Amino acid sequence: MATVTLKGEPIHTVGELPAPGQKAPDFLLTTVNLTDVTLADFRGKKKILNIVPSLDTGVCATSAKRFNEKVRGRADLVVLTISCDLPFAQDRFCKAEGIDNVITLSQLRNKEFGKAYGVEIADGPLAGLLARAVVVLNEHDTVVYTELVPEITREPNYDEALRHV
């Protein structure tokens, strides 16, 4: 269990992020087209998992937009923005914001991602959503960098995440 804050108040996650050097846990998440994908669907690419509570919040929206800009032209890399939002809302957000370099994925059908990656919020007003985190995987799905953002209302360290790809 990890502790982060929401506007200065402590909240907890169900576990810990996978450690650098570990093989990333597999997942089953849903795309905006309502198809299910696993980690294997992104085999051979470096991956940034941009994990957010909801794209309906300003900081989450900003992180999706910033990663979208920063990875433009990187064919070897995929950014997966993962939340509990419905795929319909994720699709609407990406279209409205012109986001085309980020793939949004939802826990719609399978709630295990948050537990496997240690980011499901266990208590407080956001219980059940995902804590803000970044997990970078190499092309072999080994974790090379993690950041559990200590204050949910703050943005992740984009430059440090990108330095590891």
Side-chain angles (χ1 to χ4, degrees), residues 47-49 134-138 142-146 161 164-165:
K47 292 160 271 307
I48 295 176
L49 309 184
V134 175
V135 178
V136 178
L137 310 177
N138 68 16
T142 299
V143 177
V144 295
Y145 170 80
T146 63
H164 286 85
V165 293

Side-chain angles (χ1 to χ4, degrees), residues 151-162:
E151 167 57 53
I152 287 184
T153 62
R154 293 196 184 129
E155 294 176 56
N157 186 336
Y158 306 104
D159 293 334
E160 190 63 20
L162 289 163

Side-chain angles (χ1 to χ4, degrees), residues 2-142:
T3 301
V4 295
T5 58
L6 173 64
K7 298 180 182 176
E9 294 297 318
I11 58 175
H12 304 93
T13 63
V14 298
E16 303 282 338
L17 287 172
Q22 287 184 330
K23 197 75 164 163
D26 198 7
F27 55 72
L28 179 71
L29 295 168
T30 305
T31 70
V32 297
N33 298 322
L34 300 178
T35 57
D36 293 331
V37 295
T38 67
L39 190 56
D41 288 296
F42 306 100
R43 182 174 287 125
K45 292 197 179 253
K46 297 173 185 174
K47 292 160 271 307
I48 295 176
L49 309 184
N50 177 35
I51 305 163
V52 301
S54 173
L55 290 168
D56 273 337
T57 68
V59 177
C60 298
T62 297
S63 73
K65 291 184 230 178
R66 294 279 306 274
F67 275 122
N68 185 66
E69 294 165 7
K70 288 181 174 284
V71 302
R72 195 170 304 281
R74 292 283 309 261
D76 64 325
L77 171 65
V78 62
V79 175
L80 307 174
T81 295
I82 302 165
S83 72
C84 293
D85 295 307
L86 290 175
F88 313 112
Q90 292 175 335
D91 189 42
R92 200 169 40 250
F93 167 79
C94 288
K95 287 177 179 169
E97 297 295 336
I99 293 177
D100 54 3
N101 296 310
V102 167
I103 298 169
T104 54
L105 299 174
S106 171
Q107 283 200 137
L108 172 68
R109 294 192 185 102
N110 187 308
K111 310 294 188 222
E112 294 306 310
F113 174 85
K115 292 175 182 69
Y117 280 78
V119 293
E120 182 179 311
I121 298 172
D123 54 18
L126 299 182
L129 295 180
L130 304 176
R132 185 175 319 288
V134 175
V135 178
V136 178
L137 310 177
N138 68 16
E139 60 275 11
H140 306 292
D141 297 332
T142 299

